[in-house]
Coordinates of all heavy atoms in Angstrom, one line a residue:
M60 N -144.4 -1.4 -45.6 CA -144.8 -2.8 -45.2 C -144.8 -2.8 -43.7 O -143.9 -2.4 -43.0 CB -143.7 -3.8 -45.7 CG -144.0 -5.2 -45.3 SD -142.8 -6.4 -46.0 CE -142.8 -6.1 -47.7
N61 N -145.9 -3.3 -43.1 CA -146.1 -3.4 -41.7 C -145.5 -4.7 -41.2 O -145.1 -5.6 -42.0 CB -147.5 -3.2 -41.2 CG -148.4 -4.2 -41.7 OD1 -148.1 -5.4 -41.9 ND2 -149.7 -3.9 -41.9
T62 N -145.5 -4.9 -39.9 CA -144.9 -6.1 -39.3 C -145.6 -7.4 -39.7 O -145.0 -8.4 -40.0 CB -145.0 -6.0 -37.7 OG1 -144.4 -4.8 -37.3 CG2 -144.3 -7.1 -37.0
T63 N -147.0 -7.3 -39.8 CA -147.7 -8.5 -40.2 C -147.4 -8.9 -41.6 O -147.2 -10.1 -41.9 CB -149.2 -8.3 -40.1 OG1 -149.5 -7.9 -38.7 CG2 -150.0 -9.5 -40.4
Q64 N -147.3 -7.9 -42.5 CA -146.9 -8.2 -43.9 C -145.5 -8.8 -44.0 O -145.3 -9.7 -44.8 CB -147.0 -7.0 -44.7 CG -148.5 -6.5 -44.9 CD -148.5 -5.1 -45.6 OE1 -147.6 -4.3 -45.3 NE2 -149.5 -4.8 -46.4
L65 N -144.6 -8.2 -43.2 CA -143.2 -8.8 -43.2 C -143.2 -10.2 -42.7 O -142.6 -11.1 -43.3 CB -142.3 -7.9 -42.4 CG -140.9 -8.3 -42.2 CD1 -140.2 -8.3 -43.6 CD2 -140.1 -7.4 -41.3
Y66 N -143.9 -10.5 -41.6 CA -144.0 -11.8 -41.1 C -144.5 -12.8 -42.2 O -144.0 -13.9 -42.4 CB -144.8 -11.9 -39.9 CG -145.1 -13.3 -39.4 CD1 -144.2 -14.0 -38.7 CD2 -146.3 -13.9 -39.7 CE1 -144.5 -15.3 -38.2 CE2 -146.6 -15.2 -39.3 CZ -145.7 -15.9 -38.6 OH -145.9 -17.2 -38.2
N67 N -145.6 -12.4 -42.8 CA -146.3 -13.2 -43.8 C -145.3 -13.5 -45.0 O -145.3 -14.6 -45.5 CB -147.6 -12.6 -44.3 CG -148.7 -12.7 -43.2 OD1 -148.6 -13.5 -42.3 ND2 -149.6 -11.8 -43.3
R68 N -144.6 -12.5 -45.4 CA -143.7 -12.6 -46.5 C -142.5 -13.6 -46.1 O -142.2 -14.5 -46.9 CB -143.1 -11.3 -47.0 CG -142.1 -11.5 -48.2 CD -141.8 -10.2 -48.8 NE -143.1 -9.7 -49.5 CZ -143.2 -8.6 -50.1 NH1 -142.2 -7.7 -50.0 NH2 -144.3 -8.2 -50.7
C69 N -142.0 -13.4 -44.9 CA -140.9 -14.3 -44.5 C -141.4 -15.7 -44.3 O -140.7 -16.7 -44.7 CB -140.4 -13.8 -43.1 SG -139.4 -12.3 -43.2
H70 N -142.6 -15.9 -43.8 CA -143.3 -17.2 -43.7 C -143.4 -17.9 -45.0 O -143.1 -19.0 -45.2 CB -144.6 -17.1 -43.0 CG -145.3 -18.3 -42.8 ND1 -144.9 -19.3 -41.9 CD2 -146.4 -18.8 -43.4 CE1 -145.7 -20.3 -41.9 NE2 -146.7 -20.1 -42.8
L71 N -143.8 -17.1 -46.0 CA -144.0 -17.7 -47.4 C -142.7 -18.1 -48.0 O -142.5 -19.2 -48.5 CB -144.7 -16.6 -48.3 CG -144.8 -17.0 -49.7 CD1 -145.7 -18.2 -49.9 CD2 -145.4 -15.9 -50.6
I72 N -141.6 -17.3 -47.8 CA -140.3 -17.6 -48.4 C -139.8 -18.9 -47.7 O -139.3 -19.8 -48.3 CB -139.3 -16.4 -48.2 CG1 -139.8 -15.3 -49.1 CG2 -137.9 -16.8 -48.5 CD1 -139.1 -14.0 -48.9
A73 N -139.9 -18.9 -46.3 CA -139.4 -20.1 -45.6 C -140.2 -21.3 -46.0 O -139.6 -22.4 -46.2 CB -139.5 -19.8 -44.1
H74 N -141.4 -21.2 -46.2 CA -142.3 -22.3 -46.6 C -141.8 -22.8 -48.0 O -141.8 -24.0 -48.2 CB -143.7 -21.9 -46.6 CG -144.6 -23.0 -47.0 ND1 -144.9 -24.2 -46.3 CD2 -145.4 -23.2 -48.2 CE1 -145.7 -25.0 -46.9 NE2 -146.0 -24.4 -48.0
Q75 N -141.6 -21.9 -48.9 CA -141.1 -22.3 -50.2 C -139.8 -23.0 -50.2 O -139.5 -23.9 -50.9 CB -141.1 -21.1 -51.1 CG -142.4 -20.5 -51.5 CD -142.3 -19.2 -52.2 OE1 -141.3 -18.5 -52.2 NE2 -143.4 -18.8 -52.8
L76 N -138.9 -22.5 -49.3 CA -137.6 -23.1 -49.2 C -137.6 -24.5 -48.5 O -136.9 -25.4 -48.9 CB -136.6 -22.2 -48.5 CG -136.2 -20.9 -49.2 CD1 -135.4 -20.0 -48.3 CD2 -135.5 -21.2 -50.5
C77 N -138.4 -24.6 -47.4 CA -138.3 -25.8 -46.6 C -139.4 -26.7 -46.8 O -139.3 -27.9 -46.3 CB -138.3 -25.3 -45.1 SG -136.9 -24.2 -44.7
G78 N -140.5 -26.3 -47.4 CA -141.7 -27.1 -47.5 C -142.4 -27.4 -46.2 O -142.2 -26.6 -45.3
N79 N -143.1 -28.5 -46.2 CA -143.8 -28.9 -44.9 C -143.1 -29.9 -44.1 O -143.7 -30.9 -43.7 CB -145.2 -29.3 -45.3 CG -146.2 -28.2 -45.5 OD1 -146.1 -27.2 -44.9 ND2 -147.1 -28.3 -46.5
T80 N -141.8 -29.8 -44.0 CA -141.1 -30.7 -43.2 C -141.5 -30.6 -41.7 O -141.9 -29.6 -41.3 CB -139.5 -30.5 -43.3 OG1 -139.2 -29.3 -42.7 CG2 -139.1 -30.6 -44.7
G81 N -141.3 -31.7 -41.0 CA -141.6 -31.7 -39.6 C -140.8 -30.7 -38.8 O -141.4 -30.0 -37.9
T82 N -139.6 -30.5 -39.2 CA -138.8 -29.5 -38.5 C -139.3 -28.1 -38.8 O -139.4 -27.3 -37.8 CB -137.3 -29.6 -39.0 OG1 -136.8 -30.9 -38.9 CG2 -136.4 -28.6 -38.3
Y83 N -139.7 -27.8 -40.0 CA -140.2 -26.5 -40.3 C -141.5 -26.2 -39.6 O -141.7 -25.2 -39.0 CB -140.4 -26.3 -41.8 CG -141.1 -25.0 -42.2 CD1 -140.4 -23.8 -42.1 CD2 -142.4 -25.1 -42.6 CE1 -141.1 -22.7 -42.5 CE2 -143.1 -23.9 -42.9 CZ -142.4 -22.7 -42.8 OH -143.0 -21.5 -43.1
I84 N -142.4 -27.2 -39.6 CA -143.7 -27.1 -38.9 C -143.4 -26.9 -37.4 O -144.1 -26.0 -36.8 CB -144.5 -28.3 -39.2 CG1 -145.0 -28.3 -40.6 CG2 -145.8 -28.3 -38.3 CD1 -145.6 -29.6 -41.1
S85 N -142.5 -27.6 -36.8 CA -142.2 -27.4 -35.4 C -141.6 -26.0 -35.1 O -142.0 -25.4 -34.1 CB -141.1 -28.4 -34.9 OG -141.7 -29.7 -35.0
L86 N -140.8 -25.5 -36.0 CA -140.2 -24.2 -35.8 C -141.4 -23.1 -35.9 O -141.5 -22.3 -35.0 CB -139.2 -23.9 -36.9 CG -138.8 -22.4 -37.1 CD1 -138.0 -22.0 -35.8 CD2 -137.9 -22.2 -38.3
M87 N -142.2 -23.2 -36.9 CA -143.3 -22.2 -37.0 C -144.3 -22.4 -35.9 O -144.8 -21.4 -35.4 CB -144.0 -22.4 -38.4 CG -143.1 -22.0 -39.5 SD -142.2 -20.4 -39.3 CE -143.6 -19.3 -39.2
S88 N -144.5 -23.5 -35.4 CA -145.4 -23.7 -34.3 C -144.9 -23.1 -33.0 O -145.6 -22.4 -32.3 CB -145.7 -25.2 -34.0 OG -146.4 -25.4 -32.9
G89 N -143.6 -23.3 -32.8 CA -142.9 -22.6 -31.6 C -142.9 -21.1 -31.7 O -143.2 -20.4 -30.7
I90 N -142.6 -20.6 -32.9 CA -142.6 -19.2 -33.1 C -144.0 -18.6 -32.9 O -144.1 -17.5 -32.3 CB -142.0 -18.8 -34.5 CG1 -140.5 -19.1 -34.5 CG2 -142.3 -17.4 -34.9 CD1 -139.9 -18.9 -35.9
N91 N -145.0 -19.2 -33.4 CA -146.3 -18.8 -33.3 C -146.8 -18.8 -31.8 O -147.5 -17.9 -31.4 CB -147.3 -19.6 -34.1 CG -147.2 -19.2 -35.6 OD1 -146.8 -18.1 -36.0 ND2 -147.4 -20.2 -36.5
A92 N -146.3 -19.8 -31.1 CA -146.7 -19.9 -29.6 C -146.0 -18.7 -28.9 O -146.7 -18.1 -28.0 CB -146.3 -21.2 -29.1
V93 N -144.8 -18.4 -29.2 CA -144.1 -17.3 -28.5 C -144.7 -16.0 -28.9 O -145.0 -15.1 -28.0 CB -142.6 -17.3 -28.9 CG1 -141.9 -16.1 -28.4 CG2 -141.9 -18.5 -28.3
A94 N -145.1 -15.8 -30.2 CA -145.7 -14.6 -30.6 C -147.1 -14.4 -29.9 O -147.4 -13.3 -29.5 CB -145.9 -14.6 -32.1
S95 N -147.8 -15.5 -29.8 CA -149.1 -15.4 -29.1 C -148.9 -15.0 -27.6 O -149.7 -14.2 -27.1 CB -149.8 -16.8 -29.2 OG -151.0 -16.7 -28.5
D96 N -147.9 -15.6 -27.0 CA -147.6 -15.2 -25.6 C -147.2 -13.7 -25.5 O -147.7 -13.0 -24.6 CB -146.5 -16.0 -25.0 CG -146.8 -17.5 -24.8 OD1 -148.1 -17.8 -24.9 OD2 -145.9 -18.3 -24.6
A97 N -146.4 -13.2 -26.4 CA -146.0 -11.8 -26.4 C -147.2 -10.9 -26.6 O -147.3 -9.8 -26.0 CB -144.9 -11.6 -27.5
R98 N -148.1 -11.3 -27.6 CA -149.3 -10.4 -27.8 C -150.2 -10.4 -26.6 O -151.0 -9.4 -26.4 CB -150.0 -10.9 -29.0 CG -149.3 -10.6 -30.3 CD -150.2 -11.0 -31.5 NE -149.4 -11.3 -32.7 CZ -149.1 -12.5 -33.1 NH1 -149.6 -13.6 -32.5 NH2 -148.3 -12.7 -34.1
A99 N -150.2 -11.4 -25.8 CA -151.1 -11.5 -24.7 C -150.7 -10.7 -23.5 O -151.4 -10.6 -22.5 CB -151.3 -13.0 -24.3
L100 N -149.4 -10.3 -23.5 CA -148.9 -9.5 -22.4 C -149.7 -8.2 -22.2 O -150.0 -7.6 -23.2 CB -147.4 -9.2 -22.6 CG -146.5 -10.4 -22.6 CD1 -145.0 -9.9 -22.9 CD2 -146.5 -11.1 -21.2
D101 N -149.9 -7.8 -21.0 CA -150.6 -6.6 -20.7 C -149.6 -5.5 -20.4 O -148.9 -5.6 -19.4 CB -151.6 -6.9 -19.5 CG -152.4 -5.7 -19.2 OD1 -152.7 -4.8 -20.1 OD2 -152.9 -5.6 -18.1
E102 N -149.6 -4.5 -21.2 CA -148.7 -3.4 -21.1 C -149.3 -2.4 -20.1 O -149.9 -1.4 -20.5 CB -148.3 -2.8 -22.4 CG -147.2 -1.7 -22.3 CD -146.8 -1.2 -23.6 OE1 -147.4 -1.6 -24.7 OE2 -146.0 -0.3 -23.6
D103 N -149.3 -2.7 -18.9 CA -149.9 -1.8 -17.8 C -148.9 -0.7 -17.4 O -147.7 -1.0 -17.1 CB -150.2 -2.7 -16.6 CG -150.9 -1.9 -15.5 OD1 -151.3 -0.8 -15.7 OD2 -151.2 -2.5 -14.5
D104 N -149.3 0.5 -17.5 CA -148.4 1.6 -17.1 C -147.9 1.5 -15.7 O -146.8 2.0 -15.5 CB -149.2 2.9 -17.3 CG -149.4 3.3 -18.7 OD1 -148.7 2.8 -19.6 OD2 -150.4 4.0 -19.0
T105 N -148.6 0.9 -14.8 CA -148.1 0.8 -13.4 C -147.1 -0.3 -13.2 O -146.4 -0.3 -12.2 CB -149.3 0.6 -12.5 OG1 -149.9 -0.7 -12.8 CG2 -150.3 1.7 -12.5
N106 N -146.9 -1.2 -14.2 CA -146.0 -2.3 -14.1 C -145.1 -2.4 -15.3 O -144.9 -3.5 -15.8 CB -146.8 -3.6 -13.9 CG -146.8 -4.1 -12.5 OD1 -145.9 -3.8 -11.7 ND2 -147.9 -4.8 -12.1
Q107 N -144.4 -1.4 -15.7 CA -143.6 -1.4 -16.8 C -142.4 -2.4 -16.7 O -142.0 -3.0 -17.6 CB -143.0 0.0 -17.1 CG -144.1 0.9 -17.7 CD -144.5 0.5 -19.1 OE1 -143.7 0.0 -19.9 NE2 -145.8 0.5 -19.4
G108 N -141.9 -2.5 -15.5 CA -140.7 -3.4 -15.2 C -141.1 -4.8 -15.4 O -140.4 -5.6 -16.1
R109 N -142.3 -5.2 -14.9 CA -142.8 -6.6 -15.1 C -143.1 -6.9 -16.5 O -142.8 -8.0 -17.0 CB -144.0 -6.8 -14.2 CG -144.4 -8.2 -14.1 CD -145.5 -8.4 -13.1 NE -145.0 -8.2 -11.7 CZ -145.6 -7.7 -10.7 NH1 -146.9 -7.4 -10.9 NH2 -145.1 -7.5 -9.6
Y110 N -143.7 -5.9 -17.2 CA -144.0 -6.1 -18.6 C -142.7 -6.3 -19.4 O -142.6 -7.2 -20.3 CB -144.8 -4.9 -19.2 CG -144.9 -4.9 -20.7 CD1 -145.8 -5.7 -21.3 CD2 -144.2 -4.0 -21.5 CE1 -146.0 -5.7 -22.7 CE2 -144.3 -4.0 -22.8 CZ -145.2 -4.9 -23.4 OH -145.4 -4.9 -24.8
Y111 N -141.7 -5.5 -19.1 CA -140.4 -5.5 -19.8 C -139.8 -6.9 -19.6 O -139.3 -7.5 -20.6 CB -139.5 -4.4 -19.4 CG -138.1 -4.5 -19.9 CD1 -137.9 -4.1 -21.2 CD2 -137.0 -5.0 -19.2 CE1 -136.6 -4.1 -21.8 CE2 -135.8 -5.1 -19.7 CZ -135.6 -4.6 -21.0 OH -134.3 -4.7 -21.6
M112 N -139.8 -7.4 -18.4 CA -139.2 -8.7 -18.1 C -139.9 -9.8 -18.8 O -139.3 -10.8 -19.3 CB -139.1 -8.9 -16.6 CG -138.2 -8.0 -15.9 SD -136.5 -8.1 -16.5 CE -136.0 -9.7 -16.1
A113 N -141.3 -9.8 -18.8 CA -142.0 -10.8 -19.5 C -141.8 -10.7 -21.0 O -141.7 -11.8 -21.7 CB -143.5 -10.6 -19.3
L114 N -141.6 -9.5 -21.6 CA -141.3 -9.4 -23.0 C -139.9 -10.0 -23.3 O -139.7 -10.6 -24.3 CB -141.4 -7.9 -23.4 CG -141.5 -7.7 -24.9 CD1 -142.6 -8.4 -25.6 CD2 -141.6 -6.2 -25.1
K115 N -139.0 -9.7 -22.4 CA -137.6 -10.3 -22.6 C -137.7 -11.8 -22.5 O -136.9 -12.5 -23.2 CB -136.7 -9.7 -21.5 CG -136.3 -8.2 -21.6 CD -135.8 -7.9 -23.0 CE -134.3 -8.0 -23.0 NZ -133.7 -7.6 -24.3
D116 N -138.5 -12.4 -21.7 CA -138.7 -13.8 -21.6 C -139.2 -14.3 -23.0 O -138.7 -15.4 -23.5 CB -139.6 -14.2 -20.5 CG -139.0 -14.1 -19.1 OD1 -137.8 -14.0 -19.0 OD2 -139.8 -14.1 -18.2
C117 N -140.1 -13.6 -23.6 CA -140.6 -14.0 -24.9 C -139.5 -13.9 -25.9 O -139.4 -14.8 -26.8 CB -141.8 -13.2 -25.3 SG -143.3 -13.5 -24.3
E118 N -138.7 -12.9 -25.9 CA -137.6 -12.8 -26.8 C -136.6 -13.9 -26.7 O -136.1 -14.5 -27.6 CB -136.9 -11.5 -26.6 CG -137.7 -10.3 -27.0 CD -137.0 -8.9 -26.7 OE1 -135.9 -8.9 -26.1 OE2 -137.6 -7.9 -26.9
Y119 N -136.3 -14.3 -25.4 CA -135.4 -15.4 -25.2 C -136.0 -16.7 -25.7 O -135.3 -17.6 -26.3 CB -135.1 -15.6 -23.7 CG -134.2 -16.7 -23.4 CD1 -132.8 -16.5 -23.6 CD2 -134.6 -17.9 -22.9 CE1 -131.9 -17.6 -23.4 CE2 -133.7 -18.9 -22.6 CZ -132.4 -18.8 -22.9 OH -131.5 -19.8 -22.6
D120 N -137.3 -16.9 -25.5 CA -138.0 -18.1 -26.0 C -137.9 -18.2 -27.6 O -137.7 -19.2 -28.1 CB -139.4 -18.2 -25.6 CG -139.6 -18.4 -24.1 OD1 -138.6 -18.8 -23.4 OD2 -140.7 -18.1 -23.5
Y121 N -138.1 -17.0 -28.2 CA -138.0 -16.9 -29.6 C -136.6 -17.3 -30.1 O -136.4 -18.1 -31.0 CB -138.4 -15.5 -30.1 CG -138.3 -15.2 -31.6 CD1 -139.2 -15.8 -32.4 CD2 -137.2 -14.5 -32.1 CE1 -139.1 -15.5 -33.8 CE2 -137.2 -14.2 -33.4 CZ -138.1 -14.8 -34.3 OH -138.0 -14.5 -35.6
L122 N -135.6 -16.8 -29.4 CA -134.2 -17.1 -29.8 C -134.0 -18.6 -29.6 O -133.3 -19.2 -30.4 CB -133.2 -16.3 -28.9 CG -131.8 -16.6 -29.2 CD1 -131.4 -16.2 -30.6 CD2 -130.9 -15.8 -28.2
E123 N -134.5 -19.2 -28.6 CA -134.4 -20.7 -28.3 C -135.0 -21.5 -29.5 O -134.4 -22.4 -29.9 CB -135.1 -21.1 -27.1 CG -134.3 -20.8 -25.8 CD -135.0 -21.4 -24.6 OE1 -136.2 -21.3 -24.5 OE2 -134.2 -21.8 -23.7
Q124 N -136.1 -21.0 -30.0 CA -136.7 -21.7 -31.2 C -135.8 -21.6 -32.4 O -135.6 -22.6 -33.1 CB -138.1 -21.1 -31.5 CG -139.1 -21.3 -30.4 CD -139.5 -22.8 -30.2 OE1 -139.7 -23.5 -31.2 NE2 -139.5 -23.2 -29.0
L125 N -135.3 -20.5 -32.6 CA -134.4 -20.3 -33.8 C -133.1 -21.1 -33.6 O -132.7 -21.8 -34.6 CB -134.1 -18.8 -34.0 CG -135.2 -17.9 -34.4 CD1 -134.7 -16.5 -34.4 CD2 -135.8 -18.3 -35.7
T126 N -132.6 -21.1 -32.4 CA -131.3 -21.8 -32.2 C -131.5 -23.3 -32.3 O -130.6 -24.0 -32.8 CB -130.8 -21.5 -30.7 OG1 -130.6 -20.1 -30.6 CG2 -129.5 -22.2 -30.5
L127 N -132.7 -23.8 -31.9 CA -132.9 -25.2 -32.0 C -133.2 -25.7 -33.5 O -132.6 -26.7 -33.9 CB -134.2 -25.5 -31.2 CG -134.6 -27.0 -31.1 CD1 -133.5 -27.9 -30.5 CD2 -135.9 -27.1 -30.3
Y128 N -134.0 -24.9 -34.2 CA -134.4 -25.4 -35.5 C -133.7 -24.9 -36.8 O -133.5 -25.6 -37.7 CB -135.9 -25.2 -35.7 CG -136.8 -25.9 -34.8 CD1 -137.4 -25.3 -33.7 CD2 -136.9 -27.3 -34.9 CE1 -138.2 -26.1 -32.8 CE2 -137.7 -28.1 -34.0 CZ -138.3 -27.4 -33.0 OH -139.1 -28.2 -32.2
V129 N -133.2 -23.7 -36.7 CA -132.5 -23.2 -37.9 C -131.3 -24.0 -38.3 O -131.1 -24.3 -39.5 CB -132.2 -21.7 -37.8 CG1 -131.3 -21.2 -38.9 CG2 -133.5 -20.9 -37.8
P130 N -130.4 -24.4 -37.4 CA -129.3 -25.2 -37.8 C -129.7 -26.5 -38.5 O -129.0 -26.9 -39.5 CB -128.5 -25.5 -36.5 CG -128.9 -24.3 -35.6 CD -130.3 -24.0 -36.0
I131 N -130.7 -27.1 -38.0 CA -131.2 -28.3 -38.7 C -131.7 -28.1 -40.1 O -131.4 -28.8 -41.0 CB -132.4 -29.0 -37.8 CG1 -131.8 -29.4 -36.4 CG2 -133.0 -30.1 -38.5 CD1 -132.9 -29.7 -35.4
L132 N -132.5 -27.0 -40.2 CA -133.0 -26.6 -41.6 C -131.8 -26.3 -42.5 O -131.8 -26.7 -43.7 CB -134.0 -25.5 -41.5 CG -135.3 -25.8 -40.8 CD1 -136.1 -24.5 -40.6 CD2 -136.1 -26.8 -41.6
L133 N -130.8 -25.6 -42.0 CA -129.7 -25.2 -42.9 C -128.8 -26.4 -43.2 O -128.3 -26.5 -44.3 CB -128.8 -24.1 -42.2 CG -129.5 -22.8 -42.1 CD1 -128.5 -21.8 -41.3 CD2 -129.8 -22.2 -43.4
S134 N -128.7 -27.4 -42.4 CA -127.9 -28.6 -42.6 C -128.5 -29.4 -43.8 O -127.8 -30.1 -44.4 CB -127.8 -29.4 -41.4 OG -129.0 -30.1 -41.1
N135 N -129.8 -29.2 -44.1 CA -130.5 -29.8 -45.2 C -130.3 -29.1 -46.5 O -130.6 -29.6 -47.6 CB -132.0 -30.0 -44.9 CG -132.2 -30.9 -43.8 OD1 -131.4 -31.8 -43.5 ND2 -133.3 -30.7 -43.1
E136 N -129.7 -27.9 -46.5 CA -129.4 -27.2 -47.7 C -128.0 -27.5 -48.2 O -127.0 -27.6 -47.5 CB -129.5 -25.7 -47.5 CG -130.9 -25.2 -47.1 CD -131.9 -25.4 -48.2 OE1 -131.5 -25.1 -49.4 OE2 -133.0 -25.8 -47.9
D137 N -127.9 -27.8 -49.5 CA -126.6 -28.2 -50.1 C -125.5 -27.2 -49.8 O -124.4 -27.6 -49.5 CB -126.8 -28.4 -51.6 CG -127.7 -29.6 -51.9 OD1 -127.8 -30.5 -51.1 OD2 -128.2 -29.6 -53.0
F138 N -125.8 -25.9 -50.0 CA -124.7 -24.9 -49.9 C -124.2 -24.9 -48.5 O -123.0 -25.0 -48.3 CB -125.3 -23.5 -50.2 CG -124.3 -22.4 -49.8 CD1 -123.2 -22.2 -50.6 CD2 -124.5 -21.7 -48.7 CE1 -122.3 -21.2 -50.3 CE2 -123.6 -20.7 -48.3 CZ -122.5 -20.4 -49.1
F139 N -125.0 -24.9 -47.5 CA -124.6 -24.8 -46.1 C -123.9 -26.1 -45.6 O -122.9 -26.1 -44.9 CB -125.7 -24.5 -45.2 CG -126.2 -23.0 -45.3 CD1 -127.3 -22.7 -46.1 CD2 -125.5 -22.0 -44.7 CE1 -127.7 -21.4 -46.2 CE2 -125.8 -20.7 -44.9 CZ -127.0 -20.4 -45.6
S140 N -124.4 -27.2 -46.1 CA -123.8 -28.5 -45.7 C -122.5 -28.7 -46.3 O -121.6 -29.3 -45.7 CB -124.7 -29.7 -46.0 OG -125.0 -29.8 -47.4
S141 N -122.2 -28.1 -47.5 CA -120.9 -28.3 -48.1 C -119.9 -27.3 -47.6 O -118.7 -27.6 -47.5 CB -121.0 -28.2 -49.7 OG -121.4 -26.9 -50.0
V142 N -120.3 -26.1 -47.3 CA -119.4 -25.0 -46.8 C -119.1 -25.2 -45.4 O -117.9 -25.0 -45.0 CB -120.1 -23.6 -47.0 CG1 -119.2 -22.6 -46.4 CG2 -120.2 -23.4 -48.5
F143 N -120.0 -25.7 -44.5 CA -119.7 -25.7 -43.1 C -119.6 -27.2 -42.6 O -120.1 -27.5 -41.6 CB -120.9 -25.0 -42.3 CG -121.0 -23.6 -42.6 CD1 -122.0 -23.1 -43.5 CD2 -120.1 -22.7 -42.1 CE1 -122.1 -21.8 -43.8 CE2 -120.2 -21.3 -42.4 CZ -121.2 -20.9 -43.2
Q144 N -118.8 -28.0 -43.3 CA -118.6 -29.4 -42.9 C -117.7 -29.5 -41.8 O -116.7 -28.8 -41.6 CB -118.1 -30.2 -44.1 CG -119.2 -30.5 -45.1 CD -118.7 -31.4 -46.2 OE1 -117.5 -31.5 -46.4 NE2 -119.6 -32.0 -46.9

């Protein structure tokens, strides 16, 4: 399974679990924006340091999206809301 297939499978599972809630749509929109930014980076051999730092910025932005939205999505699940009160 390649990265695109894995992403699509995770996206499908998350969609089945969360539906089309505004929070889920916002999460996926943020993740897609970060992924688009990461794909647009130019991996120039002469500027590996700059590329690495830009990629790290994308990773941080991705983590911010997850940190912002995943707790909200989990709080809507019965199991998580009952265990982590």
